[in-house]
Amino acid sequence: MIVKICGIKDAIGFDAALASGADLLGFVFFPASPRAVTPAEAGALSRRHAGGPGRVGLFVDPTDAAIASVLDVCPLDLIQLHGEEDPARCAAVRARFGVPVMKALGIAEAADLDALAGFAPVVDRFLLDAKPPPGAALPGGNAAPFDWGLMAGRDVPKPWLLAGGLTPANVAEAIRASGAPGVDVSSGVERARGVKDPRLIADFIRAARAG
Ligand SMILES: O=C(O)c1ccccc1N[C@@H]1O[C@H](COP(=O)(O)O)[C@@H](O)[C@H]1O
């Protein structure tokens, strides 16, 4: 079970995710997010510990320059594209930067899963999240779940993470219902919007692994 803790923006969140055994840590490079960090801040957090969890950079329709400005100061193990990037853009990012790409797709109904086939040749992972609720300011990180049963028995053509509205209380059921091999959380391990809670991080990872 792969567990990603997303939206790490300070040492408390970083150290808690590390201590609790997270596999992946997400840094949000999207200025509109309450979880946004600068490239320099992410680089400094990364240097708190060599090795350990993989570093994921979350971008929303980034320019090449935006990605390069992060990679200059903060090495990434995975680039998460959480905007309207099409397969050609995913392929271009992967080829230009030589970093594996995880494409986030919003899921509301079974037909949304048809998009997976077009992206599969040009990405390394998928992140399947809820579509943003009407009026949401962010394309993700909205504490909104989708119908996990849509994933039951589905053959996803690349490794994937389930996201959207996961919490310590529901993650085990989400894994059971969806068959997900990995999970990603942001809001569900926060005590206030954008503020990670070490106890909730530990509870979430324990519940995901127990499930
Ligand atoms: O977390 C954010 O602020 C964010 C901003 C823009 C795009 C994606 C974002 N987060 C991603 O959304 C999933 C689900 O979040 P939540 O657990 O429902 O709050 C999160 O894991 C991030 O990958």
Side-chain angles (χ1 to χ4, degrees):
M1 177 54 52
I2 301 293
V3 182
K4 171 172 171 263
I5 306 294
C6 197
I8 298 291
K9 65 175 196 183
D10 58 26
I12 293 172
F14 183 93
D15 292 350
L18 184 68
S20 298
D23 300 289
L24 298 168
L25 303 182
F27 297 122
V28 177
F29 301 108
F30 182 55
S33 169
R35 303 155 185 123
V37 286
T38 65
E41 287 167 344
L45 285 170
S46 272
R47 287 191 293 278
R48 290 181 70 77
H49 182 84
R55 273 57 159 182
V56 182
L58 188 163
F59 299 87
V60 178
D61 298 310
T63 61
D64 282 359
I67 299 173
S69 73
V70 172
L71 290 172
D72 280 348
V73 293
C74 180
L76 296 176
D77 300 294
L78 194 59
I79 290 175
Q80 177 175 336
L81 295 175
H82 212 112
E84 298 297 320
E85 305 87 3
D86 63 12
R89 180 64 182 141
C90 293
V93 167
R94 197 190 198 199
R96 166 144 190 198
F97 295 104
V99 175
V101 165
M102 176 163 69
K103 175 60 187 152
L105 292 173
I107 307 298
E109 55 186 293
D112 294 323
L113 296 165
D114 294 346
L116 294 171
F119 283 96
V122 293
V123 304
D124 300 277
R125 284 178 186 268
F126 287 107
L127 183 141
L128 303 182
D129 192 1
K131 292 191 173 182
L138 300 176
N142 292 307
F146 69 95
D147 176 2
W148 306 317
L150 292 175
M151 300 310 304
R154 293 294 298 221
D155 184 21
V156 178
K158 286 287 163 93
W160 63 285
L161 303 181
L162 178 71
L166 299 178
T167 69
N170 70 14
V171 66
E173 173 56 22
I175 291 166
R176 266 194 297 276
S178 67
V183 289
D184 180 13
V185 64
S186 194
S187 310
V189 292
E190 292 177 344
R191 62 181 161 77
R193 197 156 163 75
V195 184
K196 292 289 182 279
D197 182 318
R199 187 182 56 80
L200 291 175
I201 289 174
D203 289 351
F204 183 88
I205 294 176
R206 196 178 310 110
R209 297 255 155 79

